[in-house]
Each structure stands twice: as structure tokens, then as C-alpha cells.
Amino acid sequence: MSEAGTTAIRVEQTQQSRLSQVDFNDLKFGKILSDHMLVADYADGQWEEPSIVPYGNLSLSPATSAIHYGQSIFEGLKAYKFADGTVSVFRPDQNLNRFNKSASRLEMPEVPEELFIGGIKTLLDIDRAWIPQLEGSSLYIRPFMFATEAALGVHPSDSYKFIVITGPVGAYYNKPLRLKVETHFTRAAQGGVGFSKNAGNYALSLHPTRLAQEEGFDQLMWTDAIEHKYVEEAGTANLLFRVGDTIITPSSDTILHGITRRTIIEIARHWGYQAEERKVSVQELIEGIENGSVTEAFAAGTAATLTPISEIGYEGKIYTLPDPEKREFSNKVLQYLNDLRYGHIADEFGWNVIVG
Ligand SMILES: *Cc1c(COP(=O)(O)O)cnc(C)c1O
């Protein structure tokens, strides 16, 4: 580690930056990718020296095992630029931790901190100009790892690639969501891989989600695999509800433990709210909406931070939640996180990791 907290990495700068072609006022999520990427190979039981190279295509064998058998995991986090130009990454230690949990569940090697966090910091330093300064905009960071062994037998690959790509993303309009409670398809079962951010979890969600979208919903609200009685999460975000001064979020080893969810729970407790991580039945939720005790409901994830839920469809009936504009806790926490991430207020939890 150097003094700047970055790791020594071989760097090949691009000869042709694409930065001047980017319209920072019209960014579509994940479409525009920055000039450089970090690449590290794992072979013979160890990580080789990483390098930062111009963003570009990979060349892979058609037998690459990740394509056939799905040893493929990822993370998602964001960097922000303060008004004074300071660059900060939000809680990357949490992403590292979760990445390595995903890795070990899929029998993949863990990635060391110097490579994951040191690598991200070095990459951000090089592509600093790609981090938007417009408030609400940020740089999305996508670390991922996949199996690269070129052989068709089903076994853990003997080689892997760890890559980090990034791209600027615009202010997200948090349009209130209409969610359908899914009671047929299953996202994750006990003992499975629901807690890991692996590629297969997203592939399996696409078909059921499309069916719900054809019925006019935005996303699914997944339920447990056994009885379809307990709510789990929404699309690719976690669920949180407010009842009185208690924030309630479903908990189980089948959900993806979101860092946004954890952050919101920590803030809620700090502000004097109660927070409960427990099973939440569809019945409890529906009754709470009907009797007015559930005053807020939202989905939480890195992409949009917090998105209010306006309607929930269950067994052919629609349940409507209170007006998102009037939701005290959600709006307060969204504002607080915004202020914290752009350096407007003191970082009392120590969540901002400054680059360079
Ligand atoms: C990434 C993800 C989340 C949200 O996690 P964050 O760390 O808050 O971004 C929730 N559910 C699923 C299925 C996810 O993939």
C-alpha cells in the first residue's frame, strides 16, 4: 500500500479518451463505461499482479466455464464527487465482505482487500474525470469475478478473472413502484444462494418479472420458497416498512443482505427509531396497509438508494400505500444519505472512503 492507500498496479493509459463524447446530463444506467478497467487473473492458487488497462473487449474460449456452469459473481457500489472535487466511495469494505461471501459459496477464491479496495481506489484516481460532479449523479462501480477455465467438466474452475469497470450514472428519479407479490415462482430457497450476488439469481428473475410487467407492475415482491407466505425482497432491492416508530425489514438467509438496507437500519437506530429484522408475512403487510398502520414502504439498493412503494398487488387485489411525498422517514433518510455522500455534512459513521 502506498501513502495514498492505493496499491502498486501496472497501468496502461488509454490513447483515446471517450470522455468528451459523454453527455453528463443524459446518462442511462450502465450504458456508458469509463476509459479504464482493472483486471486481475487468478491461477495456480494465487492472484497475479493486477493491471489497469483501457476498457475493451475480452477474448475467451467458448469452453469458458462461467458461461456453462455459472461461477460468476459481482458487486455494485458508487463513488461521489464533492463540490471541492474530493472523491469518496461509499462503504466499499461492506462490498468486499459480501463479495467474498458470494465467492466462497460458489467455491471461488476470495479477493484480498488490497486488490478489491486498493484496486478500486487506483482505478478511480485514474478515471477521476469520469466521476460526475452534478448533485445526484455518481460513478457506478461494478467489480465482478468469473471462472475462466476452458474445459467442459463440472468442477470448480482452476482459474478466474477479477475485473472492475465503472461508469457515470445520472440522478435517479425514484418513481414510486407497483409491486406484485409473487406466489408461484421462487427466487431463492433455504440453503441455496439467495444471499450471494451471483449471476444466476438475476437470470432466474427475468421471466417472472416480465410476466408481472405484462400485468402492469414494475417489479416483483418475492416470497419464501416453501409457503409463499413471507415477503423477502423486491426485484434487486431490499424491502423496508415503517409501522409507528419501528422500521421493519424481512430477514432470512435467502435474501441478499443489502448495504443500503443495513445503512438505513443503522441510521434509523441512531435516530431513535426501533428497527426489526425478522420474518414479515404477506398477511401482516396487507392488514397493516388496510388498517393504516404501515405508513411507509420502500425498496432499498445502491442504484436508486430508496424507492417508495405505492401499490402492492396480491391475489388479484391492489393495496395502496400513503402518498410518497408525505413519508417522513423515507424522505428524511434519503436527504441525509444524499448530504452525507456529497460531503455536505459530517461523516459521523465513517462511511465515506476518500480516494487519493
Ligand atoms: C444488490 C442487491 C440488493 C441491494 O444491495 P445494496 O448493497 O444495497 O446495493 C438487494 N437485493 C438484491 C437481489 C441485490 O442483487
Side-chain angles (χ1 to χ4, degrees):
M1 298 281 262
S2 71
E3 272 174 79
T6 51
T7 186
I9 295 172
R10 192 183 69 80
V11 178
E12 181 193 334
Q13 291 271 358
T14 181
Q15 297 304 307
Q16 260 189 327
S17 174
R18 289 174 281 106
L19 188 59
S20 62
Q21 300 158 25
V22 179
D23 178 0
F24 280 90
N25 292 304
D26 182 26
L27 296 166
K28 297 203 175 52
F29 184 86
K31 291 259 189 212
I32 301 205
L33 298 156
S34 314
D35 277 337
H36 298 91
M37 61 183 183
L38 175 97
V39 182
D41 285 300
Y42 179 94
D44 300 323
Q46 57 185 15
W47 286 103
E48 295 168 1
E49 199 185 305
S51 49
I52 288 175
V53 296
Y55 177 91
N57 292 347
L58 304 171
S59 171
L60 297 169
S61 157
T64 297
S65 63
I67 300 169
H68 301 269
Y69 308 123
Q71 274 187 300
S72 181
I73 61 172
F74 68 94
E75 272 303 325
L77 65 164
K78 281 179 171 178
Y80 300 84
K81 198 178 266 175
F82 299 177
D84 69 0
T86 300
V87 169
S88 164
V89 193
F90 193 72
R91 307 191 79 177
D93 54 306
Q94 299 288 320
N95 296 90
L96 168 64
N97 189 282
R98 187 170 65 192
F99 193 71
N100 283 337
K101 281 193 182 135
S102 299
S104 78
R105 178 63 180 83
L106 294 201
E107 202 53 31
M108 300 167 84
E110 293 200 348
V111 171
E113 184 177 338
E114 317 83 83
L115 176 55
F116 191 96
I117 296 181
I120 287 174
K121 283 177 152 186
T122 309
L123 183 63
L124 293 184
D125 210 21
I126 289 170
D127 279 336
R128 198 170 267 273
W130 284 83
I131 309 170
Q133 200 148 17
L134 279 173
E135 187 124 352
S137 300
S138 57
L139 190 81
Y140 184 76
I141 306 167
R142 168 56 60 89
F144 58 106
M145 171 166 58
F146 61 95
T148 52
E149 185 174 336
L152 293 180
V154 178
H155 57 253
S157 172
D158 63 6
S159 60
Y160 297 87
K161 248 186 209 309
F162 172 69
I163 301 182
V164 183
I165 54 177
T166 74
V169 291
Y172 199 97
Y173 167 57
N174 302 34
K175 180 171 124 0
L177 296 172
R178 301 186 76 225
L179 299 180
K180 180 192 169 185
V181 178
E182 178 59 65
T183 51
H184 174 69
F185 294 104
T186 295
R187 175 184 175 273
Q190 226 98 70
V193 293
F195 66 87
S196 76
K197 236 172 156 68
N198 81 85
N201 283 350
Y202 305 86
L204 71 78
S205 73
L206 301 177
H207 178 63
T209 302
R210 181 173 65 79
L211 295 180
Q213 287 171 347
E214 283 172 5
E215 288 178 63
F217 295 99
D218 298 302
Q219 280 292 345
L220 290 177
M221 186 178 280
W222 294 104
T223 54
D224 71 282
I226 301 167
E227 301 175 281
H228 292 298
K229 261 169 82 175
Y230 296 94
V231 300
E232 302 222 309
E233 56 186 311
T236 57
N238 293 120
L239 290 168
L240 294 101
F241 308 103
R242 178 177 177 189
V243 176
D245 281 334
T246 304
I247 307 302
I248 302 168
T249 183
S251 193
S252 135
D253 65 3
T254 54
I255 68 161
L256 192 293
H257 289 262
I259 295 156
T260 316
R261 166 183 180 272
R262 171 190 284 236
T263 296
I264 293 170
I265 294 285
E266 288 172 9
I267 294 170
R269 291 196 171 125
H270 184 70
W271 285 348
Y273 291 84
Q274 301 290 313
E276 295 175 0
E277 298 177 54
R278 60 164 172 86
K279 281 187 155 189
V280 179
S281 69
V282 181
Q283 204 52 42
E284 175 186 358
L285 178 60
I286 296 305
E287 279 172 20
I289 296 171
E290 288 198 305
N291 69 26
S293 60
V294 174
T295 52
E296 304 188 37
F298 54 95
T302 296
T305 302
L306 188 155
T307 313
I309 297 164
S310 56
E311 288 180 329
I312 295 173
Y314 179 56
E315 291 181 339
K317 259 192 89 176
I318 299 288
Y319 299 85
T320 304
L321 283 128
D323 180 1
E325 309 243 310
K326 302 204 176 100
R327 298 185 191 176
E328 183 206 358
F329 177 78
S330 336
N331 290 319
K332 201 165 89 174
V333 90
L334 190 57
Q335 183 66 50
Y336 178 82
L337 276 172
N338 201 53
D339 288 343
L340 182 71
R341 287 160 167 172
Y342 292 97
H344 297 320
I345 54 171
D347 179 16
E348 54 187 329
F349 298 95
W351 287 336
N352 288 333
V353 172
I354 306 300
V355 174

